[in-house]
């Protein structure tokens, strides 16, 4: 079933049950935030919710693990990526 999710202001089609990380990776995004100290890119690392590399903001709630959060119709996802990283 197709649903609609907004990621960084862009409306995207997604599949019900897909994780946020799955959606981002299906769009070619391998990193969506950077480290605060060194600015190194981060995205999906462990894929099981143990690390903190894939954090995003969903519907205003920060520090959501993209590998664990399944998208829902109407979700608004914000990444920490700069415009040139998208």
């Amino acid at each position: 079933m197709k649903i609609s999710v907004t990621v960084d202001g862009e409306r995207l089609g997604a599949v019900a049950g897909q994780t946020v990380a799955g959606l981002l990776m299906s769009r070619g995004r391998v990193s969506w935030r950077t480290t605060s100290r060194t600015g190194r890119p981060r995205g999906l690392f462990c894929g099981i919710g143990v690390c903190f590399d894939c954090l995003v903001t969903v519907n205003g709630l920060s520090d959501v693990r993209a590998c664990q959060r399944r998208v829902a119709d109407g979700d608004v996802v914000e990444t920490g990526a700069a415009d040139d990283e998208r």
Side-chain angles (χ1 to χ4, degrees), residues 8-80:
D8 295 327
E10 180 182 1
R11 193 173 200 144
L12 303 176
V15 178
Q18 186 175 31
T19 63
V20 173
L23 172 61
L24 293 171
M25 293 181 73
S26 75
R27 305 295 286 197
R29 304 258 315 258
V30 294
S31 68
W32 45 85
R33 71 175 198 89
T34 56
T35 59
S36 59
R37 286 187 20 176
T38 61
R40 290 185 160 176
R42 293 292 184 255
L44 188 63
F45 180 70
C46 74
I48 59 171
V50 175
C51 75
F52 298 93
D53 280 355
C54 68
L55 296 179
V56 295
T57 299
V58 180
N59 302 327
L61 179 63
S62 61
D63 299 331
V64 175
R65 288 178 176 91
C67 67
Q68 297 291 293
R69 174 63 157 76
R70 296 187 188 276
V71 294
D73 194 38
D75 274 350
V76 176
V77 178
E78 298 171 42
T79 70

